[in-house]
Amino acid sequence: MNLPNKLTLLRITLTFLIMACLFAPGAAAKALALGLFGLASLTDWLDGYLARRQQHVTPLGVLLDPIADKVLVIGLLLAFVQLELVRAWMVLVITIREFLITGVRLYAAGHHIVIPAAREGKHKTFSQMATIFLILALLLARDLLDDAGRNQLEAWMPGVVLSCMWITVLLTVISGASFFWRNRTVLIDATSR
């Protein structure tokens, strides 16, 4: 197994460690969750960079990389639902979009069709990662503040999180609609088989 694939598997492992830290009490656990998320985000960029640079793009890597991305994003969003920070229906919309598009990409890859990432998808991914980073940072701040600061943070934190999630959901839906429109010939081919 090459280094890019090992980094992809590391990202999946880090997801579970981050989730464990989220449910542990104290600022140290939240700081560790934030740091591990930064590391996981770095592996997302680094595995693709190394695979292209070293020409180690493998079928396993093509399969695992998007799965690792989905595990990271959806896993943490589900943890936020459990912590009552994010609305479940928003995560459901994101999850459905991610699985549908991953399915289409895998179908296309099975027929030797490469579907490149589009600008809308990159904006969506950035929005998801930025929202997760912000929520993790707010959780850390909440544990670091004194009672007065914590009360102020908790007064406006739900509105900030909800606004970020709305942006993320809208970008998710827009990028999904754009993806399906742009790749409608692949979908027509899949439904005619």
Side-chain angles (χ1 to χ4, degrees), residues 96-106 175-177 179-180:
I96 289 170
R97 183 263 187 214
E98 298 297 348
F99 281 114
L100 287 175
I101 288 182
T102 299
V104 171
R105 283 186 187 280
L106 291 174
S175 70
F179 175 90
F180 285 117

Side-chain angles (χ1 to χ4, degrees), residues 33 41 51 63 74-75 96 116 120-121 133 142 160 171 175:
S41 299
L63 174 68
I74 294 168
I96 289 170
E120 303 88 15
F133 181 85
R142 187 174 69 181
V160 170
L171 288 175
S175 70

